[in-house]
Amino acid sequence: MIGITITITITIMKGDGGVEAPNTILRGFLAVVSSVKTMVLKIADEYRPPVVSNTEGNSNLVVVREYCEERDKVSVEKMETQCDVGQKGKPSIFTDLLGDPICRIRQFPLHVMLVAEYGEARDIVGVIRGCIKHVTTGHSHHVLKLAYILGLRVSSTHRRLGVGTKLVQHLEEWCKQKGADYAYIATECANQPSINLFTQKFSYTKFRSPTVLVQPVHAHYKPIGSGITIVRVPPHVAVKVYHHLFANSEFFSMDIDAILSNKLNLGTFMAVPKKLLPKWDPETGILPQSFAVLSVWNTKEVFKLQVKGMSKLTYACCMGSRLLDSWLPWLRLPSFPDVFSQFGVYFLYGLSMGGTNGPRLMKSLCTFVHNMAKDDVGCGAVVTEVGQQDPVRVAIPHWRRLSWNEDLWCIKKLANLQGDECERSETSDWIKSPPSSSGIFVDPRDI
């Protein structure tokens, strides 16, 4: 630190009458101040410490490469743990990936995880994940190659340095090399920094806004409607059923057979009226007149959740309701599960119904899954995600306070088509198309 002391001496001139000339004094003073200011700035500029730029200069300090489990696992886990700070004074949900940083993309045949290193120390300061799959667009059975970008995280000490930008750029390039036609991301409407990054810097378009519905698992069993039978559908039959039901929906995964045969899939179940059961042969793949169908994905084996930051009063009320529900299950109190310890969730996907009894059958089917979760220690909630206009939405039991309509999917066209392909693309541009009347299929591997 250099101190500079400057003494300014100003001689006051007087006019003919012996009276000071104020304008002359002011001009002389301003001239001196101006010259002194210039001199001080020059001196300060010479001794100013070097400052690293937050944009262009820092991009050269960021190196993006593919994740190596043996080399990077500990550093990535440490960095992501530091990112989970939550909002001060507010309850927050924390995620434990159970020691597997790529668990959320591992179930996709084509996936990648990239890490960002910063500076000479090569510290890992950011990560991003991506995968590619074939999906329907909801129009004329059109199928394309879709990339899903998820898990972008940057260390709190290295934000605004271009780390996130460089990670997205490299991942998009990887997606293009693998032949992806489009890429999409899912975020919350309240996550404005993420939305700005993708929509403003990378030209993604706000596309769909599905609804997340959450049903907590109580300590008591819930009754299933009378006159209803729940049938487990074999995977090979479920494949036929889903191709029939979701062929014209958006985001339907063409490798549905791999999803249904995955170890995380707990089964596909169908609810039908008992009187129709003798007339229905599941092996034909033909649906009964009235039905409801869904599949259950066990996320407990992928990640665990935990709520922190809850007030002592709220904690006491929640745990008190749980204790009372356990002691007096016949009262069927809507108790709150222990989400203050680590817990898992069952995710429902492939929900569809038909016939006049469809809503009642769907409600009973969701109740059946709730009872499954009640028997599974550590399962705290049953969750699903459906389109806002999907008819099944009104039939799915859920708590409004735990559910939200604020999920946002943004999409971007990656492929540069030429010739005939370009002409066909202009007439069937997915981004410009209206939502499919058949709704959205949410891939459980995306959760």
Side-chain angles (χ1 to χ4, degrees):
M1 181 69 69
I2 296 178
I4 301 174
T5 303
I6 298 176
T7 303
I8 303 174
T9 302
I10 300 177
T11 303
I12 306 297
M13 303 297 295
K14 293 188 178 182
D16 293 338
V19 180
E20 297 174 347
N23 290 336
T24 304
I25 295 172
L26 182 59
R27 284 196 298 268
F29 179 76
L30 290 177
V32 173
V33 170
S34 178
S35 61
V36 170
K37 179 181 178 182
T38 303
M39 182 175 64
V40 170
L41 289 175
K42 288 182 177 179
I43 295 174
D45 194 52
E46 291 179 4
Y47 291 97
R48 181 180 290 127
V51 179
V52 180
S53 168
N54 283 343
T55 54
E56 198 69 30
N58 281 327
S59 64
N60 297 326
L61 299 176
V62 180
V63 177
V64 177
R65 59 172 176 81
E66 194 167 333
Y67 168 78
C68 173
E69 187 168 7
E70 294 182 2
R71 174 182 171 185
D72 303 327
K73 181 179 177 181
V74 175
S75 298
V76 168
E77 288 181 334
K78 181 180 178 181
M79 188 275 297
E80 293 201 296
T81 300
Q82 291 173 345
C83 291
D84 285 333
V85 293
Q87 292 183 319
K88 189 175 181 180
K90 294 183 178 180
S92 301
I93 297 180
F94 294 82
T95 305
D96 183 355
L97 299 181
L98 306 179
D100 184 8
I102 66 170
C103 63
R104 293 186 63 196
I105 55 174
R106 189 181 291 279
Q107 307 305 324
F108 292 93
L110 193 56
H111 64 265
V112 72
M113 177 173 171
L114 303 179
V115 298
E117 297 176 326
Y118 186 82
E120 296 181 359
R122 292 291 179 235
D123 295 325
I124 292 180
V125 297
V127 297
I128 194 169
R129 303 161 176 89
C131 53
I132 296 178
K133 54 187 176 179
H134 288 86
V135 302
T136 58
T137 64
H139 302 280
S140 303
H141 302 275
H142 187 217
V143 177
L144 52 75
K145 215 169 184 180
L146 178 68
Y148 178 43
I149 296 176
L150 68 158
L152 172 61
R153 311 198 80 174
V154 177
S155 170
S156 58
T157 57
H158 291 79
R159 290 172 186 170
R160 300 184 181 278
L161 301 177
V163 177
T165 298
K166 211 159 189 181
L167 282 167
V168 176
Q169 288 174 340
H170 279 71
L171 183 55
E172 282 191 346
E173 188 59 36
W174 177 85
C175 295
K176 291 177 183 178
Q177 292 174 1
K178 300 300 179 182
D181 300 303
Y182 289 80
Y184 84 107
I185 62 111
T187 187
E188 296 179 6
C189 290
N191 191 351
Q192 203 59 49
S194 177
I195 296 172
N196 291 342
L197 173 66
F198 283 96
T199 60
Q200 296 179 13
K201 186 163 287 189
F202 290 101
S203 302
Y204 280 70
T205 300
K206 295 179 181 180
F207 191 57
R208 300 291 183 258
S209 299
T211 300
V212 178
L213 304 176
V214 181
Q215 169 68 46
V217 176
H218 305 312
H220 63 272
Y221 293 104
K222 299 174 70 175
I224 297 176
S226 60
I228 297 174
T229 300
I230 308 295
V231 179
R232 178 186 284 270
V233 182
H236 69 281
V237 175
V239 170
K240 297 178 184 178
V241 170
Y242 280 137
H243 271 290
H244 173 71
L245 291 173
F246 291 97
N248 291 318
S249 67
E250 293 182 310
F251 296 94
F252 177 62
S253 303
M254 298 307 294
D255 62 341
I256 185 65
D257 54 335
I259 298 175
L260 294 172
S261 60
N262 192 290
K263 65 180 181 179
L264 298 176
N265 189 65
L266 299 181
T268 300
F269 304 92
M270 185 174 290
V272 295
K274 285 184 178 180
K275 61 182 181 180
L276 297 180
L277 190 60
K279 305 176 184 178
W280 176 55
D281 182 6
E283 291 295 330
T284 63
I286 300 175
L287 297 169
Q289 293 178 350
S290 288
F291 72 94
V293 63
L294 58 76
S295 295
V296 186
W297 190 263
N298 183 16
T299 69
K300 282 179 55 183
E301 305 302 320
V302 182
F303 58 83
K304 294 286 182 69
L305 303 173
Q306 185 176 6
V307 175
K308 297 181 181 180
M310 194 75 76
S311 68
K312 292 182 179 180
L313 178 61
T314 304
Y315 174 84
C317 291
C318 292
M319 297 307 293
S321 71
R322 189 70 177 184
L323 189 62
L324 192 60
D325 190 17
S326 300
W327 286 350
L328 307 170
W330 58 87
L331 293 179
R332 296 175 182 169
L333 298 175
S335 62
F336 205 76
D338 181 12
V339 296
F340 311 107
S341 303
Q342 286 195 344
F343 68 97
V345 301
Y346 281 178
F347 183 77
L348 309 182
Y349 68 98
L351 293 86
S352 184
M353 64 185 186
T356 54
N357 293 320
R360 179 170 176 264
L361 295 170
M362 178 57 70
K363 184 177 181 180
S364 295
L365 197 52
C366 293
T367 298
F368 170 80
V369 178
H370 168 276
N371 294 342
M372 281 178 56
K374 191 266 178 191
D375 289 333
D376 192 346
V377 178
C379 187
V382 177
V383 182
T384 190
E385 188 168 17
V386 296
Q388 290 194 12
Q389 306 302 321
D390 197 320
V392 301
R393 178 182 175 184
V394 297
I396 300 172
H398 63 280
W399 279 18
R400 289 185 180 181
R401 282 197 162 187
L402 300 181
S403 307
W404 63 93
N405 299 325
E406 298 180 347
D407 212 19
L408 177 64
W409 293 7
C410 300
I411 196 167
K412 175 183 179 179
K413 195 172 187 177
L414 296 179
N416 294 320
L417 303 180
Q418 297 179 351
D420 295 338
E421 290 183 346
C422 184
E423 292 180 5
R424 289 195 300 268
S425 175
E426 289 179 356
T427 59
S428 59
D429 190 343
W430 193 12
I431 297 177
K432 298 177 182 178
S433 64
S436 170
S437 59
S438 299
I440 294 175
F441 180 88
V442 180
D443 192 325
R445 298 170 297 183
D446 290 353
I447 305 305

